[in-house]
Amino acid sequence: MKTLSQKIRTSIWQETPNPDNSFYPEYSFCHGFDFYNELLESKNFIELLFLTFTGDLPTKSQELHLSLLLSSVMNSGPRDLANRAAMSAAAGGAPAGSALIAGLCASTGKKEGGGAVQTVMEMITELRKKHRDKGIKQIPYSRIEKEYSRHGSIFGYGTLYGKKDSHAEKLTSLLYKNNFDGPGLRLFLKLGKSVEKRAGEWPRLYGVFASSLLDLGFSPLQGHGVYMLANGIGMLGFVCERYEQHWTDFPTWFTHGTYEYHPDILALKKERV
Amino acid sequence: MDVSALQKNRLRHLEQQYNRITTSLGGIVKNTFIYCGEDVTNTLGGTFSQTAAFLLWVLGRKPTEEETRLVDTIICLNIYPDPRIWSIRSGAYAAVQDAPLSACIAAGHIAANGKIFGIGAVLQCSSFFKDLLARLKKNSMETVVKAFLMQNKFFPGFGRPLIQGNDERYIRLQALLKEWNYRIGIHTKTLYKLAPILEDARGLYPNFASLLTTLMLDDPFQCSDNQLTILSHIMVNLPSAVVAVERHDNKNIPFLPLKVIDIEYTGKPRRTLENHS
């Protein structure tokens, strides 16, 4: 059996112990920078977020790029499923922290959630690697469709309630306008042309977010969580708002005619057994 | 106050616990699996149910068949997987969002930490009945209730948010207790005494939360609030899990889709950055 470690290994954070109290951190360094004595007064949240995940401070352009991406997904609106999971918990009287976690549980999903962001980033990473290694010029559409689709739609593409996602288009145009178009985004949009021709679907906002986040050096796993964290801001707003209202101000669907019970589904299952 | 001594004391406490886990519950102890003092593999396996294991922890001894039957009944009376219930709905949304099933169930559990149909409701009942018993030491039930009514006090464990009238689960459990000749304790006796008074005064009927809470506060269980919380989690586990699975298996079917007009905006009027100072 491999030796069981007694230490937590990290490349992100280092503390130096106080000579009189070995629990007390005398200094704390984030990727080598003194966090409390240097970074805290000179760097903003976006810069520190970038530093945490990539190990380096961003250039001004990278900072603005990341800020734009995070802003684009920070509020999915009250109809979003994850936001509704959070609001539902809050309306039922759960504390704000619990309601936020309930929403984040949903926000990890593969339908427009962190899971979907991660898959897009994995797909583009693989495509880029193959393009580079094997010099592939044509995107192997049918293989992508086989490996990276959900209910017939390739991850990162689809429609917004049946229509072209104008939010994705807006983000794309802003990324181009500010010269934030990197190879990840360009490949994602190139694949998008094939998707549009073959499936009649277009890039979705989370897909643009995911492919562009790759251009900033974020990994798919980091992208998954960063999307959830950004999304969590709007979510927390909706959660806190619930406590200002009575629980009856949030739909319960207990009104007549909304609820249907079909025992025949279970009967069919039993029959099959 | 000697601040330096306090600091030293804190540090000594940290040093004492450094690299050490102390538990009275068990775990893997010298290759034997222990739970609350019992050998999991050789004693509990094959003879104990989950409810009995829960009660072993609560009581500190093996429960009787009657005790296990009561708690099993309490758990079963709460199994109705209605996706409209707030916590269950949170899990359902997560499932339709195609979150991993464990995350959906986690959403259901953490959302169950609510005041309506949830752990909060049970804990409010616990607090209410403990407070009521304390007051009854000095005053009669009539005097205490009269004071509560004058203050327009909320009565946890009475009334139901969405359905009017009696709580079927309460009635069934009460009938079963009678059928079993179950010896109710002081908390449940107090509930039985309070129920007709509130029905007369406010038209309020006791709900299932009040009966399950008082039974669990009574002897022999004397559940703490933390133990009541765990029981509540056991109670909500299956209903929220099966709903999450149903939605997960049918995640291509939209779940309660909303139109734009379903949102009533109550915020600031539209404005532009240009006009915003």
Side-chain angles (χ1 to χ4, degrees):
Chain A
M1 194 167 88
K2 209 177 166 212
T3 316
L4 298 172
S5 176
Q6 295 288 322
K7 286 181 185 288
I8 297 169
R9 199 174 294 140
T10 174
S11 61
I12 299 170
W13 196 264
Q14 184 190 30
E15 292 174 341
T16 57
N18 177 280
D20 303 324
N21 179 342
S22 52
F23 292 95
Y24 186 87
E26 195 69 25
Y27 293 98
S28 303
F29 299 90
C30 181
H31 288 291
F33 296 107
D34 187 325
F35 191 84
Y36 294 102
N37 296 308
E38 198 179 6
L39 291 178
L40 195 56
E41 67 173 335
S42 58
K43 299 296 168 193
N44 65 33
F45 183 76
I46 301 287
E47 289 171 293
L48 294 178
L49 193 150
F50 189 95
L51 172 67
T52 301
F53 290 107
T54 67
D56 278 310
L57 284 164
T59 60
K60 193 67 196 166
S61 166
Q62 286 171 321
E63 181 199 336
L64 293 171
H65 184 170
L66 180 58
S67 176
L68 174 61
L69 290 182
L70 295 174
S71 301
S72 72
V73 296
M74 68 164 279
N75 199 332
S76 310
R79 293 188 294 144
D80 174 77
L81 288 170
N83 287 343
R84 284 170 69 192
M87 284 191 282
S88 187
S98 300
L100 179 64
I101 295 169
L104 288 175
C105 283
S107 169
T108 186
K110 283 204 157 189
K111 182 184 184 287
E112 303 175 20
V117 166
Q118 182 182 336
T119 311
V120 171
M121 291 174 83
E122 285 166 351
M123 175 178 78
I124 298 297
T125 303
E126 192 206 315
L127 273 174
R128 280 184 61 195
K129 192 171 182 298
K130 291 213 165 140
H131 272 251
R132 208 170 39 237
D133 294 352
K134 296 182 183 169
I136 296 171
K137 287 190 180 154
Q138 287 296 313
I139 293 172
Y141 187 87
S142 44
R143 196 182 59 73
I144 292 169
E145 195 178 28
K146 198 175 158 194
E147 289 180 20
Y148 291 104
S149 68
R150 181 188 173 277
H151 300 311
S153 292
I154 293 178
F155 277 97
Y157 307 93
T159 65
L160 180 64
Y161 298 106
K163 296 182 81 170
K164 197 171 184 178
D165 186 345
S166 56
H167 306 152
E169 280 189 302
K170 184 70 197 177
L171 177 60
T172 306
S173 73
L174 285 172
L175 288 166
Y176 270 91
K177 185 180 158 190
N178 290 286
N179 298 318
F180 297 152
D181 53 316
L185 177 68
R186 287 199 296 269
L187 188 56
F188 175 75
L189 295 174
K190 188 179 172 189
L191 177 59
K193 296 253 186 322
S194 306
V195 175
E196 187 179 345
K197 263 189 215 157
R198 293 183 183 225
E201 292 184 336
W202 301 274
R204 294 297 317 278
L205 179 66
Y206 75 86
V208 177
F209 170 91
S211 55
S212 192
L213 198 62
L214 266 181
D215 292 333
L216 283 170
F218 284 66
S219 74
L221 279 178
Q222 290 169 341
H224 185 144
V226 166
Y227 177 84
M228 287 169 66
L229 292 176
N231 216 227
I233 295 168
M235 187 182 285
L236 181 60
F238 291 123
V239 161
C240 293
E241 200 178 44
R242 295 270 66 75
Y243 303 105
E244 294 160 15
Q245 298 171 22
H246 193 256
W247 67 265
T248 52
D249 291 327
F250 191 75
T252 56
W253 287 276
F254 265 86
T255 43
H256 181 71
T258 22
Y259 189 62
E260 288 177 60
Y261 169 55
H262 291 289
D264 46 317
I265 296 172
L266 198 61
L268 276 175
K269 271 189 195 169
K270 280 179 186 162
E271 233 171 65
R272 276 207 300 273
V273 172
Chain B
M1 190 184 292
D2 185 351
V3 176
S4 147
L6 262 177
Q7 283 173 350
K8 275 183 189 159
N9 199 27
R10 279 191 196 120
L11 183 56
R12 195 170 58 240
H13 194 60
L14 284 169
E15 290 286 5
Q16 276 168 358
Q17 297 305 320
Y18 181 62
N19 258 344
R20 180 186 299 232
I21 300 169
T22 312
T23 173
S24 61
L25 293 171
I28 306 169
V29 187
K30 292 175 189 164
N31 287 333
T32 304
F33 292 76
I34 303 287
Y35 171 73
C36 295
E38 297 291 339
D39 184 326
V40 172
T41 325
N42 298 309
T43 310
L44 303 187
T47 59
F48 250 54
S49 65
Q50 190 196 12
T51 304
F54 167 71
L55 287 178
L56 175 62
W57 171 62
V58 169
L59 295 163
R61 60 161 169 79
K62 288 181 184 174
T64 63
E65 276 182 27
E66 288 70 28
E67 289 158 356
T68 309
R69 179 177 61 183
L70 172 68
V71 176
D72 263 336
T73 305
I74 287 172
I75 294 167
C76 273
L77 282 171
N78 200 56
I79 297 184
Y80 58 103
D82 192 323
R84 291 171 295 180
I85 300 297
W86 298 262
S87 57
I88 297 178
R89 210 184 323 151
S90 289
Y93 284 131
V96 182
Q97 182 79 326
D98 204 358
L101 194 52
S102 303
C104 307
I105 296 166
H109 270 281
I110 197 139
N113 189 15
K115 288 174 190 154
I116 311 172
F117 184 85
I119 292 149
V122 170
L123 296 186
Q124 279 184 337
C125 283
S126 165
S127 165
F128 171 73
F129 280 99
K130 284 179 199 162
D131 174 57
L132 181 61
L133 273 180
R135 288 170 191 259
L136 290 175
K137 281 180 184 161
K138 292 179 188 165
N139 297 291
S140 70
M141 176 70 90
E142 285 69 23
T143 314
V144 174
V145 174
K146 200 175 166 185
F148 282 169
L149 289 169
M150 292 275 282
Q151 294 158 17
N152 212 14
K153 189 179 163 65
F154 170 66
F155 292 94
F158 287 83
R160 301 167 84 183
L162 294 159
I163 304 164
Q164 301 299 312
N166 276 308
D167 186 331
E168 303 79 1
R169 297 165 300 166
Y170 177 97
I171 291 170
R172 176 66 178 149
L173 184 54
Q174 196 181 30
L176 284 170
L177 293 171
K178 205 172 169 187
E179 188 184 313
W180 297 335
N181 288 322
Y182 187 86
R183 260 184 64 187
I184 58 168
I186 184 75
H187 293 89
T188 310
K189 279 180 187 162
T190 307
L191 165 65
Y192 284 2
K193 207 171 162 190
L194 175 63
I197 300 175
L198 283 184
E199 191 186 330
D200 282 348
R202 284 264 182 93
L204 280 176
Y205 296 94
N207 60 35
F208 185 52
S210 63
L211 187 50
L212 86 87
T213 307
T214 54
L215 285 166
M216 296 314 292
L217 287 175
D218 278 340
D219 286 336
F221 309 108
Q222 296 183 13
C223 272
S224 66
D225 279 0
N226 283 346
Q227 289 170 332
L228 283 170
T229 301
I230 301 308
L231 175 61
S232 305
H233 275 293
I234 295 171
M235 288 166 67
V236 298
N237 187 45
L238 200 54
S240 57
V242 295
V243 168
V245 171
E246 186 181 58
R247 293 294 146 193
H248 214 263
D249 287 347
N250 298 286
K251 56 198 163 210
N252 53 337
I253 301 172
F255 179 63
L256 296 171
L258 291 178
K259 293 181 179 175
V260 172
I261 52 160
D262 289 320
I263 308 298
E264 184 191 346
Y265 177 67
T266 57
K268 291 176 177 150
R270 283 182 204 168
R271 48 192 173 156
T272 61
L273 289 173
E274 212 174 291
N275 299 334
H276 184 63
S277 54

